[in-house]
Amino acid sequence: MPRLALYTFGVLKSPLADPAPLTREFYDIGEAVYRKISQYPGYLARAEAAGGDRGMLFEADWGAWGEFDVPTWYEKGRTVETTALATTLSLWTDLAPAFEAVYSGPHREALNRRYDWFERTGHPNHVFWWVADGAIPTWRDGVSRLEHLHGHGSAPHAFTFHHPFTPQGTPAPRAALPGAS
């Protein structure tokens, strides 16, 4: 049975290593948000660096998730001191559990504050795609699909909550999502 991959990407207003209160606040709540999301039914896994080094993205060993990568529009730093991005790569059983996890609880609270922490880039901040059972999506897959979404809009290859697709490639009804109409 296919699984759903989710890649998120945002450009922070200041580097993660910056002691600015807003950046520090975002960074400090991150692990609590991840812990809560990992408890949702339908959540399967997320990319985590071997060794768990916080802030070390580009140099980290991501194992089966592949070498770390970012979209071409990211123009800020790539070192621990200068990196100004927040990104995730995760696997889900289906769209409805991912929707529930993203739009409720502590993640919803964080979404309500996203413009305090993130720049408005004019680019999509998330993308979904279906992967074969047993496949692990890579960072490069996520970047490629996010860039495709930006250039071409939602399609079976790369889609959003607002324009979802089934594993068979047909448009999925948004009404099937919790709280969606």
Side-chain angles (χ1 to χ4, degrees):
M1 180 148 132
R3 299 178 301 166
L4 189 67
L6 168 60
Y7 173 74
T8 66
F9 186 85
V11 178
L12 291 163
K13 290 182 176 180
S14 62
L16 286 169
D18 187 321
L22 283 177
T23 303
R24 179 63 45 212
E25 181 183 22
F26 170 79
Y27 198 63
D28 289 346
I29 68 167
E31 281 307 311
V33 170
Y34 285 134
R35 272 193 306 280
K36 183 66 175 170
I37 283 178
S38 71
Q39 296 169 0
Y40 276 87
Y43 170 87
L44 298 171
R46 74 175 167 108
E48 294 185 80
D53 290 324
R54 290 179 66 163
M56 192 172 118
L57 301 171
F58 292 92
E59 302 84 10
D61 173 7
W62 294 92
W65 303 88
E67 184 177 335
F68 189 75
D69 200 8
V70 294
T72 55
W73 63 78
Y74 175 73
E75 297 176 343
K76 291 193 175 184
R78 294 174 182 255
T79 67
V80 173
E81 295 80 24
T82 61
T83 297
L85 63 91
T87 186
T88 63
L89 180 59
S90 58
L91 276 172
W92 297 83
T93 58
D94 204 352
L95 201 57
F99 186 92
E100 183 68 26
V102 168
Y103 289 108
S104 65
H107 193 271
R108 177 67 209 177
E109 293 169 21
L111 275 179
N112 290 341
R113 305 237 3 248
R114 68 186 169 271
Y115 297 122
D116 291 343
W117 303 315
F118 292 96
E119 293 180 359
R120 295 177 190 225
T121 65
H123 296 89
N125 60 15
H126 76 278
V127 66
F128 288 104
W129 69 100
W130 293 100
V131 297
D133 190 28
I136 302 291
T138 66
W139 290 108
R140 182 69 225 145
D141 293 336
V143 168
S144 171
R145 301 213 184 220
L146 191 71
E147 289 175 341
H148 184 274
L149 177 67
H150 177 68
H152 306 285
S154 281
H157 176 77
F159 55 92
T160 66
F161 280 126
H162 296 291
H163 298 99
F165 285 82
T166 68
Q168 296 77 29
T170 59
R174 258 192 98 233
L177 297 175
S181 53

